[in-house]
Amino acid sequence: MTTADHTRAAASAPTPSTSTTMKALVYHGPGKRAWEDEPRPAIQDPGDAVVRITTSTICGTDLHILKGDVPSVTDGRILGHEGIGVVEHVGTGVSGFHVGDKVIISCITACLKCDFCRRSMYSHCRHGGWVLGNTIDGTQAEYARIPHADGSLHPFPADGDEEAMVMLSDILPTGFECGVLNGQVKPGDTVAIVGAGPIGLAALLTAQFYSPAAIVMIDLDDKRLAVAKTFGATTLINSTDGRAADRVMALTEGAGVDVAIEAVGLPATFAICQAIVAAGGRLANVGVHGKPVELHLEKLWDRNIAITTRLVDTVTTPMLLKVVRSGKLQPSKLVTHRFAMHDIMKAYDTFGNGAQEGALKVILTNGGPR
Amino acid sequence: MTTADHTRAAASAPTPSTSTTMKALVYHGPGKRAWEDEPRPAIQDPGDAVVRITTSTICGTDLHILKGDVPSVTDGRILGHEGIGVVEHVGTGVSGFHVGDKVIISCITACLKCDFCRRSMYSHCRHGGWVLGNTIDGTQAEYARIPHADGSLHPFPADGDEEAMVMLSDILPTGFECGVLNGQVKPGDTVAIVGAGPIGLAALLTAQFYSPAAIVMIDLDDKRLAVAKTFGATTLINSTDGRAADRVMALTEGAGVDVAIEAVGLPATFAICQAIVAAGGRLANVGVHGKPVELHLEKLWDRNIAITTRLVDTVTTPMLLKVVRSGKLQPSKLVTHRFAMHDIMKAYDTFGNGAQEGALKVILTNGGPR
Amino acid sequence: MTTADHTRAAASAPTPSTSTTMKALVYHGPGKRAWEDEPRPAIQDPGDAVVRITTSTICGTDLHILKGDVPSVTDGRILGHEGIGVVEHVGTGVSGFHVGDKVIISCITACLKCDFCRRSMYSHCRHGGWVLGNTIDGTQAEYARIPHADGSLHPFPADGDEEAMVMLSDILPTGFECGVLNGQVKPGDTVAIVGAGPIGLAALLTAQFYSPAAIVMIDLDDKRLAVAKTFGATTLINSTDGRAADRVMALTEGAGVDVAIEAVGLPATFAICQAIVAAGGRLANVGVHGKPVELHLEKLWDRNIAITTRLVDTVTTPMLLKVVRSGKLQPSKLVTHRFAMHDIMKAYDTFGNGAQEGALKVILTNGGPR
Amino acid sequence: MTTADHTRAAASAPTPSTSTTMKALVYHGPGKRAWEDEPRPAIQDPGDAVVRITTSTICGTDLHILKGDVPSVTDGRILGHEGIGVVEHVGTGVSGFHVGDKVIISCITACLKCDFCRRSMYSHCRHGGWVLGNTIDGTQAEYARIPHADGSLHPFPADGDEEAMVMLSDILPTGFECGVLNGQVKPGDTVAIVGAGPIGLAALLTAQFYSPAAIVMIDLDDKRLAVAKTFGATTLINSTDGRAADRVMALTEGAGVDVAIEAVGLPATFAICQAIVAAGGRLANVGVHGKPVELHLEKLWDRNIAITTRLVDTVTTPMLLKVVRSGKLQPSKLVTHRFAMHDIMKAYDTFGNGAQEGALKVILTNGGPR
């Protein structure tokens, strides 16, 4: 821990730090990232809050950004859209949060006022949506500015655990809303989830809110499948041999699954989902796709299915928070590695080699007692 | 009208005809059809009814069959899955219909007992589904055997008009269930329907049950578009120039439509629908597709849309019947041509040249007063 | 008013007034109201707007207040919760509206941020709900302060008609949300509406968005029933003889109605609704009740019905606005009388004798060109 | 029994009986019941099956009948509407079941053909509904005739346990459909169930399909509350002191519960539910009521609540069966006592003193290996 970190820990008391800089993970074009000095964010608009980050994590999307796949992210951007922290400053228009409040930062920024927000589609907010670590600076830093704070922060519960709660920033609502809710998982259903990475596992955990009779987990990696087993998967299929769809159809006696959740983002995994969805079933896409896929409408036109897409809206975060607090969901299970924030370069290496490292979610902590 | 027809008209009284043959439109492989003698159908199972057909019509699907596109239809099959008639015989297991009852024949045969029927997915009935004029003989004939009659017939209302009611066999529930219900049309919505043929027009008529603010009709044919105008379309777009999607986006100020209904069945028309569906919108496929389509998940993955497919279940037929009887829906508008059943070869020619002939639905009547 | 305020007023209004007072209709305890001088409202909170009222109207609830039935309304309160106007001042936290914007004022004030607002239950907003003309001063005045303006105002459409649009403040969303949406009116349904006053008629107009097959209107007053006829009711029942329920049951051959909408607020009218709701039907209460009712659970426990209550949330106002603009709904039909705002004392007399005067909605206009 | 019948019985049952009589529990007017000889049932209609009962149970409704509260039950009626058995005979119209099939008997008889059955409201089937042990002879006997067998029986699973499966006849679908589904229990919800008898406990078990955050159980009997605790209740309230509603309001910090389930059937318990349902909540009535209740519309009219009633439709039985088979639901927990069927008189005594005896469900077994 550096001297600066010590100082910052001290600053968790109301006494504000006088420093005007901070450390942050900055994107410098495809393949390039650095942990470097940046100016501390300040209030720009009446709805803003500045949050001192205590815990953050890395998302698969951050890896996509680093590959240069997300053109909206430009050189100089501080990455990160997940985090827990303490409110340091608030604008005059913020009514729900005060300096000193501990908060969960949502990956989606919501003005709450536009037509999309009124329809609970915060993902398409006309003044927000996914902007953190994308079109504005993010949370893999010591401080972050959160616009539309009233719509974009959630109170951290008194009895909460930061490692668990940071999963509410993105991964849990994403798996739940895009996979489970859109897939309309119901008691007694047979569900298949293609992809046992963090998002697929978040779908696996939250699918169990609705008591499906069977959850089939499909992945190329036996280690991840083994984790899925401990998370409640009832059947594991390693798809390396290209016969995953056949196996699912055999398992279901030719019927297919009620719900197929795509949690990878590739044509091949979407193809498995198409092949296994039962007549009357739902195919819920969660994966981020970079190319078109072939949709077999010549087979599906008369199958009474629904295919859904969704960027997480984070409208279910308050509900997920209740379920976590009730003990029915333990998201800290997803955490495999822990780093100090100033070791974030190493954390990215570990997360980037997720399969080899057995990494799921990697916790980043700014120093000091939590 | 032949002597045989006269006899048959006389037979509309309970006194059964003693003839054992009838005339029917028979498929003899791709491109071949004939109006010829066939044995009259008889009760085979306790749930069967034999219906003397008074009115039938031709469906676009019949043209597909004649092109050889529907391999389940084999040489010797009597075509037709729509019709009005009078029950001539019933099996011992039929409880809801009696000899002499006038009935609407559903294009979908439903046992009502299997798991799919219990879930209101009659289209996938394990002992029925679309079988008439497909895997068993159909309704373009003087008589037809209807299996599972209790689930596959509807009482013809006392005050009904046969031309209107025969639209309840297939086209109205298809446009309504696959297009309007799956598209979740709501008051104030902007709806686009691609394809102004009979099915697209059925969707247009029934979409108005839910008071959308605008209905954009897209087709290559100005004559059909003009008909759509009289049926309630608020904007017409001729897509000949390949710029239909651009126009819709301009019309909607870049937002796209709440509901896009595909009523053609081609990759190009599906592509228009993908391009115009708004964030949060629904793309309801009604068209019968013969090939895969390219699905632009790289654009759609974060758009919060739903794409649905459906073979009509005809579960809404009783409701549609109520709406027709209330005068809020006039399906006979869809009728453009009328033929005696024995002129069905000519009727097929007319319907097959729909665009030139301005043909939508073609009514076929077995002789005698209706 | 400070100099700064004065400048702003000058900048916005065609004829700036330097006055610091205005005229308003003030409640002075049961039975007492006066059109008198009051201070002009000013911005109190960053989310406020001050609106110069151009059009307002009187609600049945205002009559309840005057009877002393609404204890939250105290002596000195300016009444009124409906209105059209022009924004005169805005607080620093208002982002969606600017000085000079013409607006529709919602009867429900919504902060958009609290848990109820997030669940689209604006009626129960923790910082708003129904406050205008209730716990804060209202719109039957020359000016009104609207808290949480971003959630409580709607842009007045360029092509709008004030008399039509003022119906969007309360009566249309109330009839629609509490009656039609809660009643789940569907195509082909049989609907009964008990009470042909303004709210019942608003339910009647908006029920037609969903193409019910029949709408039975029940009231004690033949004049109101005659109006209902012109608004689309298919059957009229005068309930003076106490046999309304019997008649509905006879009409429906003993089945009862799919949806019964209570739009009066008395035990007797609620009793009719209980007696006529079909097995599987919905009873949607809209009326404001002052006493308990007897619920016949001994008859209803096994009837598979739902009874709903609701204070309007006004979440459907944007949608209703679209439908009005599309021409599918003509709310100005509800207007029977027009007064200058300064004649509001007379307007109340007329509205208070609604039945004799044939009054439905009474329009109040502040002078000057609209 | 004819020779033909005899042959069929021989073909199916391990030990064919030639007897034409059987033992059954017969109602003889209020307070009177006897275990006596009755003629064995035979096929009357093509849709009938005769089932040899292996396991049955007693329902709270049977006690109501014995009190004389159910006038449709007349002297001489064999009671019982729950059971497991083996098909002994089938009518010619039965297609889904064969002699020798082991079956679960649904308490609701469904023709599957009428308008109510088509709408999944089997409870109101025009040719069935609750008839067993009510208007026709029931299952507390050695044999029972089941009309509309295809709609009224379910296949007993190969790996099933009779004690668990007999809970699918009535109690589980009743608690689930009337309480949990109508109450729309959702993840994170706070649920209160008033009444910890068998039906309330069935609601408690099945509410957990949807992962509510808290389930408050309210009863007068601490023993039953203790059972509820082991079944998953998170809070127990003994309502003997009349302060149950106050306690729930305190627990929920004045908000009330999202879902209140009434599982008793008395004005006092319904009153608790009214008092504790949150704004925006649902009150799902399951109890059988004998008198009207007072509904406090003067408090509830603006609370945005829904009150539902329902006679179980048993449409969810196939789904419940899947969940039981998946191990997520263990209904045999409800069994507290076991009797041979010929000791049914004693079984009734025990069940009738449920509170003292600690009796929930009492299993009745016809002799021989199961």
Side-chain angles (χ1 to χ4, degrees), chain B residues 93 95 112-113 118 122 150-151, chain D residues 93 95 112-113 118 122 150-151:
Chain B
S95 58
L112 301 181
K113 297 176 176 179
R118 301 280 189 110
Y122 300 171
D150 280 323
Chain D
S95 58
L112 301 181
K113 297 175 177 179
R118 302 281 189 108
Y122 300 170
D150 281 322

Side-chain angles (χ1 to χ4, degrees), chain D residues 64-346:
Chain D
H64 279 293
I65 292 170
L66 279 165
K67 284 189 202 142
D69 287 352
V70 187
S72 51
V73 185
T74 51
D75 185 358
R77 176 68 61 237
I78 299 173
L79 298 186
H81 50 265
E82 300 166 280
I84 304 294
V86 176
V87 173
E88 197 88 351
H89 308 293
V90 289
T92 53
V94 177
S95 58
F97 296 94
H98 303 94
V99 171
D101 286 352
K102 193 161 179 176
V103 293
I104 302 164
I105 300 168
S106 178
C107 65
I108 295 293
T109 298
C111 78
L112 301 181
K113 297 175 177 179
C114 73
D115 54 340
F116 281 114
C117 282
R118 302 281 189 108
R119 291 163 58 196
S120 298
M121 270 179 71
Y122 300 170
S123 58
H124 287 71
C125 171
R126 296 194 186 271
H127 310 106
W130 174 41
V131 293
L132 284 179
N134 177 9
T135 56
I136 67 171
D137 286 335
T139 59
Q140 290 167 0
E142 291 180 325
Y143 295 85
R145 181 180 69 91
I146 308 297
H148 303 292
D150 281 322
S152 313
L153 299 175
H154 297 276
F156 189 94
D159 52 359
D161 164 52
E162 291 200 15
E163 291 194 358
M165 290 299 156
V166 77
M167 301 302 149
L168 289 170
S169 286
D170 177 346
I171 192 169
L172 282 176
T174 294
F176 181 61
E177 295 179 6
C178 308
V180 177
L181 281 190
N182 272 15
Q184 298 174 42
V185 176
K186 286 191 292 292
D189 271 0
T190 297
V191 177
I193 300 172
V194 182
I199 285 289
L201 292 170
L204 170 59
L205 287 173
T206 55
Q208 295 171 68
F209 292 174
Y210 297 101
S211 308
I215 309 181
V216 181
M217 205 80 192
I218 302 169
D219 201 288
L220 294 166
D221 178 358
D222 281 333
K223 270 185 294 185
R224 289 193 156 183
L225 288 172
V227 173
K229 184 82 180 177
T230 70
F231 281 31
T234 56
T235 306
L236 308 177
I237 296 182
N238 187 311
S239 51
T240 310
D241 64 1
R243 302 202 46 248
D246 293 347
R247 278 159 213 251
V248 172
M249 294 313 282
L251 258 175
T252 56
E253 298 172 1
V257 298
D258 300 299
V259 185
I261 297 177
E262 207 283 352
V264 179
L266 293 172
T269 45
F270 192 83
I272 294 174
C273 290
Q274 287 186 61
I276 64 177
V277 65
R282 284 83 57 201
L283 192 176
N285 187 78
V286 191
V288 178
H289 289 260
K291 318 190 246 209
V293 301
E294 195 171 46
L295 178 66
H296 289 285
L297 275 187
E298 83 283 10
K299 290 180 190 162
L300 296 171
W301 73 267
D302 66 351
R303 294 278 286 169
N304 299 36
I305 63 156
I307 299 170
T308 59
T309 71
R310 187 168 181 178
L311 178 62
V312 64
D313 294 299
T314 69
V315 285
T316 62
T317 308
M319 183 272 259
L320 290 166
L321 193 52
K322 282 190 209 168
V323 183
V324 171
R325 295 186 68 189
S326 77
K328 295 202 189 312
L329 177 63
Q330 270 117 20
S332 50
K333 283 184 188 177
L334 289 160
V335 177
T336 54
H337 294 73
R338 288 164 185 85
F339 292 89
M341 186 75 84
H342 57 78
D343 285 333
I344 190 170
M345 295 295 286
K346 209 158 56 182

